[in-house]
Amino acid sequence: MANTEQLVAQRLTESGIRYSTGRRAVIEALSAADGPRSAAELHRDLAEAVPLSSLYRSLSVLTDADVVTMHHGSKGVTRYELSEWLTGHHHHLVCLSCGTVDDITPPPDLEADLESVVISLTVSGRFSPKGHALEIEGFCSECA
Amino acid sequence: MANTEQLVAQRLTESGIRYSTGRRAVIEALSAADGPRSAAELHRDLAEAVPLSSLYRSLSVLTDADVVTMHHGSKGVTRYELSEWLTGHHHHLVCLSCGTVDDITPPPDLEADLESVVISLTVSGRFSPKGHALEIEGFCSECA
DNA sequence: AACGAGAATAGGAATCATTATCATTATGCA
DNA sequence: TGCATAATGATAATGATTCCTATTCTCGTT
């Protein structure tokens, strides 16, 4: 997706944030991933290009700019992925064994079902929903 | 729920694990809570009764025995609550502002809808689902 | 093209939650 | 009662993440 690059560049420019090479490397690594990645995993890929402290700072900046979204996974590690306005709305398959998280995008009819459940659950009015996340926990093909 | 006590005692005995006073204190604190609590929060309540290191070990033992379930929340803190076979299956309303997590139990028809969505999403067979968690993100009545 | 102000980086130190260690104490059973 | 084992608690260690500070880079201005 060369398109992602442009959208990110535009968003950062609007926010007065520079799209430096380090940050570009982070965005590229996240674009290449098929699910949320931890800082450690990203650092493994980017090792020389981006030192760990800079990686964390870049993720923080990108998260503030809403280009990247953080998720909280097992063993206290935080995982990051491109925000849904870049990737499209999706849910997660979480492996109970190895902790890997993969994205899954439901077909429109299932997504509609989910949304109607969310709405039904919050009609009472005490809580105003802004979004939802379905996490399906189980075992990935590797850990079967 | 004096009943919880007995169920927990039974489960631990079956597993050959002692239901010590420290562990009992942890279970009581979790029973009294109306949502998932972090180790730090629990320690605030139990301060003198259970030192932090013992608290963590108790939570670990109880989690292994499947009496307690851990959830991963914001800022790398883990929250613990009684497992669903003690509390009933439920989902979470997560406030984007204050971070509070409330339990919500869907009526049977909505829960059935959820389950059928999960099954439809995983029929391809690459991933074997063991459970699911729906998190509805939004703003609680306090933070409106 | 050089300048200067603010932004960004690198690397290490510091912090926070959590886990491991180990000597001591308590428990249940023969 | 006495022993084998489980549990405890104080402390040290770990690991992820954040903070700090000096240096480097970028961009707009001249």
Side-chain angles (χ1 to χ4, degrees):
Chain A
M1 280 191 200
N3 201 25
T4 298
E5 284 285 303
Q6 301 202 349
L7 290 170
V8 171
Q10 181 182 342
R11 164 66 63 103
L12 292 184
T13 300
E14 282 168 3
S15 306
I17 296 169
R18 293 186 192 151
Y19 196 15
S20 63
T21 49
R23 291 170 185 172
R24 196 177 306 264
V26 172
I27 293 296
E28 279 167 9
L30 288 175
S31 301
D34 49 347
R37 295 288 176 261
S38 69
E41 287 164 349
L42 291 171
H43 186 241
R44 210 172 300 136
D45 300 346
L46 303 170
E48 319 209 344
V50 183
L52 196 51
S53 68
S54 300
L55 174 57
Y56 272 110
R57 202 161 17 71
S58 291
L59 287 170
S60 166
V61 167
L62 294 169
T63 299
D64 286 349
D66 196 30
V67 165
V68 164
T69 301
M70 45 190 277
H71 301 277
H72 304 286
S74 58
K75 241 195 62 181
V77 297
T78 304
R79 288 166 190 282
Y80 303 82
E81 70 180 343
L82 297 181
S83 296
E84 290 197 334
W85 66 272
L86 288 165
T87 63
H89 179 56
H90 60 268
H91 298 284
H92 289 148
L93 299 173
V94 183
C95 181
L96 293 169
S97 173
C98 64
T100 298
V101 183
D102 277 333
D103 288 350
I104 186 170
T105 303
D109 57 324
L110 291 182
E111 183 57 37
D113 286 353
L114 272 181
E115 267 159 36
S116 83
V117 168
V118 169
I119 288 170
S120 299
L121 284 175
T122 55
V123 278
S124 71
R126 274 190 222 196
F127 189 91
S128 55
K130 293 296 178 226
H132 63 271
L134 179 66
E135 305 237 310
I136 303 179
E137 302 140 356
F139 296 100
C140 70
S141 48
E142 304 287 311
C143 301
Chain B
M1 278 189 206
N3 202 23
T4 297
E5 283 284 302
Q6 300 201 351
L7 290 170
V8 171
Q10 181 182 341
R11 164 65 64 100
L12 292 184
T13 301
E14 283 169 3
S15 307
I17 296 169
R18 292 184 194 154
Y19 197 16
S20 63
T21 50
R23 291 167 186 173
R24 196 177 304 264
V26 172
I27 293 296
E28 278 168 9
L30 288 175
S31 300
D34 47 348
R37 291 292 171 86
S38 68
E41 287 163 350
L42 291 171
H43 185 242
R44 212 171 297 138
D45 299 345
L46 303 171
E48 317 208 346
V50 182
L52 195 52
S53 68
S54 300
L55 173 57
Y56 272 111
R57 200 155 21 70
S58 292
L59 287 170
S60 165
V61 167
L62 294 169
T63 299
D64 287 349
D66 196 30
V67 166
V68 165
T69 301
M70 43 192 276
H71 300 278
H72 305 286
S74 58
K75 245 194 59 179
V77 296
T78 304
R79 283 166 208 287
Y80 303 82
E81 68 181 344
L82 296 181
S83 295
E84 290 198 334
W85 67 271
L86 288 165
T87 62
H89 178 56
H90 60 269
H91 298 282
H92 289 146
L93 298 173
V94 184
C95 180
L96 292 170
S97 172
C98 66
T100 298
V101 182
D102 278 337
D103 291 349
I104 185 171
T105 303
D109 57 325
L110 290 181
E111 182 58 36
D113 287 352
L114 272 181
E115 267 158 35
S116 84
V117 167
V118 169
I119 289 170
S120 299
L121 284 175
T122 55
V123 277
S124 71
R126 277 189 222 192
F127 189 91
S128 54
K130 294 296 179 226
H132 64 271
L134 178 66
E135 307 234 311
I136 302 180
E137 302 140 356
F139 296 101
C140 69
S141 50
E142 303 287 311
C143 300

